[in-house]
Amino acid sequence: MRIDIITIFPKMFAAVLNESIIKRAQNKGKVKIYVHNLRDYTLDKHKKVDDRPFGGGSGMVMQPEPIFRAVEDLKSKASKSKTRVILLSPQGKRLNQKIAKSLAKSQHLILICGHYEGIDERIRQYLVDEEVSIGDYVLTGGELPAMVMADCIVRLIPGVLGDRNSLNFESFAGNLLEYPQYTRPANYRKMKVPAILLSGNHQKIADWRKKEALKITKKKRPDLWRMKWTR
Ligand code: 9D3
């Protein structure tokens, strides 16, 4: 998979993309992630990417020219692939595991990070295939959402996760939250680990964990309990 990210803040991405699982996935050749400075696609000497809104009003609007040029250039760089152009925007469909799974099947994603008060509507209309939000809260731009998307997509690419965090386990666990976990010491300041976990009876331990996971999910996330996105 190839992921191209278009942003006016390219430096925000290095720390996230060059660490941990995403870095390993790139080193293993499972994904190539490129971050592009939108200003590199401007044609004027001031590298201007936004302007005042027609019709008046406060704030600035991102102009079509740099974004169209960037997307066209990046599509041509992965010419044999089917490309999905995604705009990170508060107006988008809310990202969930089902959407992530569908996106993880793509060969080529272009993520556009919106900013300012908005972007020229023609970008939405003629360039963008899908708009995605990461939740109902206000951020300052699409950069953190693009990183969230890259993270949750990359870990779904076959061969990216090791056995320890495998997707098999995830689907086995279904739509449940995690059961309570403990490690040494068994007695810490008189707070004791449930005896069953020290019993060595693997069947009983598995049953206990399942029961606890059900209890915790019903209590803390009754909404999840009714959902089926991890199945
Ligand atoms: C003052 C601007 N707002 C007018 C109603 C809209 C607005 C535009 C752009 C609010 C925030 C932003 C910046 N956020 C994103 O680009 C964004 C985002 C988010 O804020 N929350 C959750 N997901 C996303 S994806 C992109």
Side-chain angles (χ1 to χ4, degrees):
M1 176 187 291
R2 173 175 169 136
I3 303 177
D4 287 293
I5 300 171
I6 301 170
T7 172
I8 55 169
F9 295 124
K11 284 191 295 200
M12 282 180 70
F13 289 84
V16 171
L17 299 182
N18 297 327
E19 292 292 341
S20 187
I21 287 173
I22 300 193
K23 183 194 198 149
R24 250 195 18 233
Q26 297 196 73
N27 290 344
K28 283 205 242 172
K30 304 286 178 191
V31 64
K32 287 193 162 71
I33 306 179
Y34 302 99
V35 179
H36 307 274
N37 191 340
L38 182 62
R39 294 191 195 280
D40 293 344
Y41 290 95
T42 54
L43 293 168
D44 70 303
K45 72 166 189 254
H46 298 109
K47 299 185 187 293
K48 194 163 70 80
V49 294
D50 60 350
D51 207 334
R52 290 169 302 152
F54 278 127
S58 64
M60 300 289 268
V61 178
M62 291 181 93
Q63 293 172 290
E65 173 105 79
I67 296 182
F68 270 78
R69 293 187 70 232
V71 169
E72 282 158 5
D73 179 52
L74 297 172
K75 274 186 174 171
S76 77
K77 281 184 178 158
S79 57
K80 287 189 287 290
S81 302
K82 253 215 249 93
T83 301
R84 290 165 85 173
V85 180
I86 293 160
L87 173 66
L88 284 308
S89 141
Q91 298 182 19
K93 276 188 300 190
R94 207 157 1 138
L95 182 62
N96 58 30
Q97 199 62 18
K98 190 176 157 193
I99 293 173
K101 279 183 179 174
S102 147
L103 293 172
K105 297 191 174 95
S106 315
Q107 296 168 281
H108 185 207
L109 298 175
I110 298 179
L111 309 184
I112 304 171
C113 304
H115 248 279
Y116 299 105
E117 309 296 299
I119 76 169
D120 189 289
E121 188 64 23
R122 290 165 291 188
I123 294 164
R124 259 189 200 99
Q125 223 179 332
Y126 298 109
L127 202 59
V128 166
D129 298 311
E130 288 150 90
E131 258 183 290
V132 176
S133 157
I134 63 163
D136 295 336
Y137 39 83
V138 182
L139 300 169
T140 57
E143 279 75 15
L144 289 168
M147 291 183 233
V148 167
M149 260 189 78
D151 192 273
C152 78
I153 289 168
V154 165
R155 67 183 287 288
L156 292 171
I157 299 171
V160 166
L161 291 187
D163 286 346
R164 244 184 65 43
N165 292 308
S166 85
L167 302 173
N168 278 338
F169 178 74
E170 220 169 71
S171 71
F172 161 73
N175 45 5
L176 295 181
L177 299 179
E178 198 155 18
Y179 52 78
Q181 302 205 79
Y182 298 87
T183 186
R184 274 172 283 279
N187 183 345
Y188 177 64
R189 298 185 181 178
K190 297 185 181 149
M191 296 178 279
K192 296 199 180 110
V193 169
I196 196 157
L197 297 177
L198 312 174
S199 70
N201 186 331
H202 298 298
Q203 187 55 55
K204 278 195 164 167
I205 291 171
D207 292 347
W208 180 85
R209 284 177 167 168
K210 185 76 194 243
K211 194 184 83 204
E212 291 298 315
L214 292 168
K215 204 164 84 186
I216 288 169
T217 308
K218 270 183 179 159
K219 178 159 181 240
K220 294 189 179 172
R221 290 295 305 275
D223 56 322
L224 256 194
W225 177 248
R226 291 186 292 269
M227 270 171 58
K228 301 211 183 311
W229 52 259
T230 46
R231 289 200 212 278

